[in-house]
Amino acid sequence: MSAVFIFLAGLLLASSLAAVMFRRLVYTALSLAVAFASLAALYLHLGAEFAGFAQVMVYVGAVAILIVFALLLTRNAGSDPEHPGHGGSWITGAAIAVLVFGCLAFNIVTSSACARPMPNPPSITTRQIGESLMTRYVLPLEVLGLLLTAAALGAATLALEDKRKS
Amino acid sequence: MLGSGIIKGLLETARNFFGSFRQPERLVTIEYPEQQRTVPENNRSFPFLVFDRNDPVKGLRCVSCKICEKECPPQCIYIETEKDSRGKPIKHPKVFDIDISVCMSCQICVEVCPFDSIKMDQTYELSQFSRYDALILHKIDLAKSNEYYHQIKPTEAGLVDEQLAAEREAQIAKAKAAAAIKVAPATASPTPKPPSPAPPAKTEVPA
Amino acid sequence: MILLYSSPEALLIQLKSWTVSLAPAAWQPVLSSAISALVILLLFAGIFALTTLVERKGLGRIQNRPGPNRVGPCGLFQPIADGVKSLIKEDIVPAAADRAVHFLAPLVVLAPAALALALIPLGPGLAAVDMDAGLLCFFAVGTASELGAFMAGWASHNKYTILGAMRAIAQMISFELPLVLSTLTVVMLSGTLSLSSIAQQQGSYWFGLPAWNVFTPWGLAGFIIFLIAATAESNRSPFDLPEGESELIGGFMTEYSGFKYAVFFMGEYFGMFAISGLTITLFLGGWNAPFSFLVWIPSFIWFLIKLGLMLAWFIWVRGTLPRVRVDQLMNFCWKMLLPLSLLNILAAIFWHFTASWQFPGAWGLRWAIGFGMIALPFIGISQSGARQKKWGPRIYRYAD
């Protein structure tokens, strides 16, 4: 574990916690964006350039912006919520989170994959990723493309209906 | 086709761009401190006092009649009359101040002045570093020669000069007439009961 | 260390590695990055200062004015005066503003733009960061500036800034599609995402003429689409709706003054330089000379000349076109640029698969067909748009 990794992991943890804990919606959205960005930085630190930049493009550039845009369209996003506190539900939530984390961590630590010595990480270029996406994994890619096209068409249909009514 | 208008517009702006280098008359900007716009003759800013005979102290046309001081709507004129050694007022201002921070350039002082001694100036570079004293113009700042008046407002100054000359001549004539009347009784007095003292006076009046 | 002169670019690289070798070994990577960053920042800050002056003078000439000419000879020191002025101006933060986000927003706009500049290769080997997925990285860092616009707009707590931020985000997201799709053709045909290899591939000459991407049908169409989308992406006129002085005061920058405003300004110009550099790298042959007999001029000089021409183009367009309306902007993006950029991909595929045609006149035929594949739909779309246009009283849905 290098210092860079510890720093990035700490940033990721802190910003994720901030995304949950902040009362103001805008702060949670911004800390979510920071969390996405630090995750991307972790990928980059591991040498996965393509995954890292794709993470930034999709999550920071699209998902976070979408949330932020929704916040701009809603009223009173900047003010504090009327009902402070989460009641008792946060205890349940925290318990479930700890439980899930414990299960996952236990399984990972005791799994046989961890016992094996770590092989040298293969250096994968963007070109190789592209080639495997276009040859071996072309069907999943096409299916995903179809799904996105359907979503885009659906959005267009919704927008058109709104226009016809008015 | 879509886009042809954009190309037309781009060509037009390019023509402007290169044209402004090749034809300096395209540039409409007057680069102010170096170049100055010639103001029209009727432009007016603040009043000044006219003097004659190249003498800014004695030559002032102002007789300190204080009509302008009374008529000034914002009351920005302050006049003190000069007094001679015996304390008798003479027809000359001792103090003549105009507060141009108050003056509203209404030209009423010019309209009411019976001696054509106060006129409107055309200077506009009047900025000062102080709000108070620097904006009060004193007699010495206000006094400007009749030649300057001719320079800034040739037509109006010409008319004023003609009128003043006519008045002066009329005055001289009147004085002569008065002198003649005075002289006539004097010459007639030795002869008691002159038959008709009026006819000689009458004949002199038209002259 | 001996400097072996082989080319001006190599000399620069050797100079840098020699400077780095003076430092202790542990500090060398840090020093190397710092030198690159310093060079990039100084170079582009200088270009920024020059561009603001040239832009104001050029716009003046377009409008038959002399432009700024008071500070120094021909107004040359105007940028310095502007910098000093923005430094000594009072930094006003609105009372209702969110101070932390308000402070961070200009940095979030400037930093990605500077990062994007680091990716642009100025010559062979002269890129601060030369990575395998350079193009992807360029677009990835570009998205952060949208977040900066939102932060500025929201933190100022002002309706105009929020409107400006909404416009900025909507416009940037919409125009990112044609922007990325038009670069996709270059990526497909050159088979790499690395910016320096894309520029390298355009370095060959054909009877002394350059083999730039812009001289192919898909490259020409992609170049035009990219240029339009880049103008919108860098918020330049005629797509400067996010600022829209006449209706939004200053858009999301309304509540910024002094040096924070200058940082925003700088971020916007850096974004413009970065996207101009990307246009040059993708379509205009990168650092390569336009004719084979001019290759003796160093590559980075060529890059800077092309950058200057691109900036002149942006200034020229700004001086010519009035600002478009929001609905016109969105219609133009979704109904015109997006279909055309999708068709452009088809044209690029056609060009790729007909590369084996050998009969005489094959090149001209490929060019004609490929060009027609984009030009005909363009004419069709513009005609149908003109036919559908019905002028009438505008209906205001929300204003009543």
Side-chain angles (χ1 to χ4, degrees):
Chain A
M1 279 206 282
S2 64
V4 181
F5 176 81
I6 292 170
F7 171 73
L8 287 176
L11 187 66
L12 178 56
L13 267 180
S15 52
S16 315
L17 273 178
V20 186
M21 309 279 271
F22 267 127
R23 289 278 163 72
R24 281 197 178 188
L25 279 175
V26 175
Y27 285 171
T28 63
L30 289 177
S31 6
L32 193 66
V34 174
F36 287 148
S38 47
L39 189 60
L42 268 181
Y43 290 160
L44 289 179
H45 180 60
L46 291 173
E49 274 184 7
F50 187 84
F53 292 131
Q55 163 87 11
V56 175
M57 265 192 92
V58 174
Y59 283 93
V60 181
V63 175
I65 293 287
L66 192 71
I67 294 171
V68 148
F69 203 75
L71 285 183
L72 279 179
L73 287 172
T74 49
R75 204 169 281 184
N76 293 334
S79 56
D80 290 316
E82 286 169 24
H83 309 291
H86 303 279
S89 63
W90 72 272
I91 301 171
T92 331
I96 292 172
V98 167
L99 212 66
V100 170
F101 179 78
C103 282
L104 285 176
F106 177 77
N107 277 314
I108 287 169
V109 169
T110 56
S111 71
S112 55
C114 256
R116 265 180 287 165
M118 195 169 281
N120 282 330
S123 63
I124 293 175
T125 60
T126 313
R127 171 177 276 276
Q128 284 169 315
I129 294 173
E131 272 166 4
S132 60
L133 271 180
M134 277 296 157
T135 50
R136 198 178 156 193
Y137 300 105
V138 70
L139 191 64
L141 189 76
E142 292 294 324
V143 170
L144 275 179
L146 202 64
L147 180 70
L148 289 178
T149 314
L153 285 178
T157 320
L158 284 176
L160 276 181
E161 256 174 27
D162 184 41
K163 208 174 185 179
R164 222 172 280 143
K165 261 183 223 156
S166 63
Chain B
M1 203 180 72
L2 191 69
S4 55
I6 294 176
I7 293 166
K8 229 185 270 175
L10 285 172
L11 287 178
E12 181 59 38
T13 46
R15 208 173 294 131
N16 272 349
F17 182 84
F18 292 111
S20 71
F21 286 103
R22 290 182 56 227
Q23 305 159 300
E25 68 270 14
R26 271 173 174 269
L27 297 174
V28 291
T29 315
I30 295 171
E31 296 185 38
Y32 163 60
E34 292 93 39
Q35 305 169 2
Q36 291 199 353
R37 186 194 294 261
T38 47
V39 289
E41 206 185 316
N42 282 341
N43 168 279
R44 64 175 191 239
S45 58
F46 295 113
F48 72 100
L49 297 175
V50 188
F51 65 81
D52 295 312
R53 304 189 304 274
N54 286 330
D55 187 355
V57 183
K58 293 258 175 60
L60 276 184
R61 288 179 187 172
C62 179
V63 297
S64 103
C65 66
K66 299 193 180 180
I67 295 176
C68 52
E69 187 184 11
K70 289 189 187 85
E71 291 284 342
C72 181
Q75 300 185 349
C76 66
I77 304 178
Y78 174 75
I79 303 173
E80 266 179 38
T81 310
E82 184 110 53
K83 292 190 173 131
D84 61 7
S85 50
R86 285 176 298 169
K88 200 180 150 202
I90 54 176
K91 289 182 176 178
H92 190 78
K94 185 180 167 199
V95 177
F96 196 114
D97 291 349
I98 294 180
D99 188 348
I100 58 167
S101 66
V102 174
C103 175
M104 61 186 204
S105 309
C106 64
Q107 212 181 356
I108 284 177
C109 49
V110 177
E111 309 288 343
V112 298
C113 182
F115 302 98
D116 282 311
S117 69
I118 189 161
K119 292 292 168 197
M120 295 308 279
D121 206 349
Q122 290 185 337
T123 55
Y124 47 86
E125 289 163 323
L126 295 162
S127 3
Q128 299 289 351
F129 285 101
S130 156
R131 280 166 61 191
Y132 304 107
D133 293 346
L135 286 174
I136 293 175
L137 298 186
H138 302 293
K139 194 172 77 176
I140 199 71
D141 312 315
L142 289 167
K144 283 174 185 170
S145 68
N146 195 27
E147 285 73 47
Y148 173 78
Y149 183 37
H150 271 278
Q151 199 186 319
I152 59 170
K153 295 181 178 181
T155 325
E156 197 187 304
L159 286 175
V160 167
D161 273 9
E162 272 174 32
Q163 199 188 333
L164 281 179
E167 271 173 25
R168 209 174 296 127
E169 271 178 32
Q171 218 167 0
I172 290 167
K174 211 168 142 193
K176 268 186 187 168
I181 290 165
K182 244 183 203 171
V183 165
T187 48
S189 58
T191 47
K193 282 187 185 172
S196 55
K202 257 182 196 168
T203 47
E204 270 176 32
V205 166
Chain C
M1 151 145 194
I2 308 148
L3 293 177
L4 295 166
Y5 185 83
S6 56
S7 68
E9 298 85 26
L11 188 71
L12 287 178
I13 296 166
Q14 284 173 357
L15 204 65
K16 185 189 156 189
S17 54
W18 175 72
T19 321
V20 169
S21 67
L22 294 178
W27 288 98
Q28 281 185 5
V30 179
L31 188 66
S32 168
S33 306
I35 288 175
S36 300
L38 198 69
V39 168
I40 291 279
L41 283 180
L42 285 184
L43 175 68
F44 284 101
I47 295 177
F48 165 63
L50 203 63
T51 308
T52 53
L53 177 67
V54 170
E55 172 153 29
R56 291 170 66 179
K57 281 210 148 283
L59 284 181
R61 288 287 169 176
I62 281 172
Q63 296 155 7
N64 284 331
R65 294 183 286 113
N69 58 1
R70 295 282 122 172
V71 196
C74 299
L76 264 179
F77 300 144
Q78 186 70 42
I80 301 173
D82 287 344
V84 170
K85 179 193 159 198
S86 66
L87 268 175
I88 60 177
K89 264 189 128 173
E90 187 187 355
D91 176 34
I92 300 167
V93 181
D98 192 307
R99 296 192 79 92
V101 182
H102 190 267
F103 174 78
L104 280 176
L107 303 178
V108 176
V109 170
L110 179 64
L115 260 177
L117 279 176
L119 295 162
I120 305 294
L122 306 184
L126 291 183
V129 185
D130 189 8
M131 55 171 68
D132 209 16
L135 192 62
L136 198 65
C137 180
F138 187 95
F139 290 121
V141 295
T143 56
S145 60
E146 296 164 26
L147 218 54
F150 160 75
M151 284 163 73
W154 177 81
S156 300
H157 213 280
N158 176 326
K159 57 189 161 206
Y160 296 114
T161 60
I162 290 197
L163 277 173
M166 272 186 66
R167 279 188 182 186
I169 294 174
Q171 172 179 332
M172 282 174 168
I173 291 181
S174 304
F175 276 87
E176 207 149 84
L177 267 120
L179 192 76
V180 174
L181 284 177
S182 54
T183 59
L184 211 56
T185 53
V186 181
V187 174
M188 280 163 62
L189 290 202
S190 52
T192 175
L193 281 169
S194 159
L195 290 175
S196 50
S197 17
I198 289 174
Q200 195 86 55
Q201 285 179 6
Q202 302 175 56
S204 58
Y205 294 94
W206 186 67
F207 295 117
L209 294 171
W212 298 353
N213 284 334
V214 74
F215 297 123
T216 56
W218 56 268
L220 183 63
F223 172 66
I224 294 168
I225 294 169
F226 188 86
L227 207 57
I228 295 169
T231 317
E233 196 70 6
S234 51
N235 291 341
R236 293 278 304 179
S237 175
F239 302 115
D240 55 349
L241 291 143
E243 279 170 57
E245 303 92 349
S246 49
E247 62 251 46
L248 290 184
I249 308 172
F252 58 85
M253 300 191 283
T254 302
E255 296 288 3
Y256 282 88
S257 57
F259 204 65
K260 282 183 194 161
Y261 182 81
V263 167
F264 261 120
F265 206 63
M266 201 163 168
E268 234 164 52
Y269 273 78
F270 273 20
M272 183 169 81
F273 299 156
I275 214 134
S276 301
L278 190 67
T279 318
I280 292 164
T281 309
L282 291 179
F283 297 103
L284 299 178
W287 60 73
N288 294 300
F291 300 106
S292 55
F293 62 86
L294 287 173
V295 286
W296 55 272
I297 297 177
S299 56
F300 47 87
I301 301 283
W302 275 119
F303 183 87
L304 291 178
I305 289 173
K306 288 176 187 175
L307 186 66
L309 289 177
M310 285 293 298
L311 298 180
W313 164 257
F314 277 123
I315 293 168
W316 187 10
V317 167
R318 184 180 165 188
T320 304
L321 300 180
R323 188 181 299 136
V324 296
R325 239 167 38 212
V326 182
D327 57 329
Q328 291 170 334
L329 178 91
M330 288 297 165
N331 278 345
F332 183 64
C333 177
W334 292 101
K335 293 185 181 167
M336 173 71 95
L337 289 184
L338 191 64
L340 285 182
S341 54
L342 287 171
L343 283 171
N344 194 26
I345 294 176
L346 283 184
I349 293 169
F350 168 79
W351 186 263
H352 180 67
F353 282 110
T354 54
S356 53
W357 288 6
Q358 288 300 334
F359 55 87
W363 191 83
L365 188 65
R366 282 167 73 202
W367 226 101
I369 295 175
F371 188 69
M373 283 173 77
I374 312 150
L376 293 178
F378 167 71
I379 293 169
I381 293 172
S382 58
Q383 294 280 327
S384 75
R387 246 182 282 125
Q388 279 173 8
K389 193 161 283 171
K390 292 188 208 79
W391 300 102
R394 277 184 77 186
I395 299 159
Y396 294 95
R397 289 172 61 192
Y398 300 112
D400 297 328

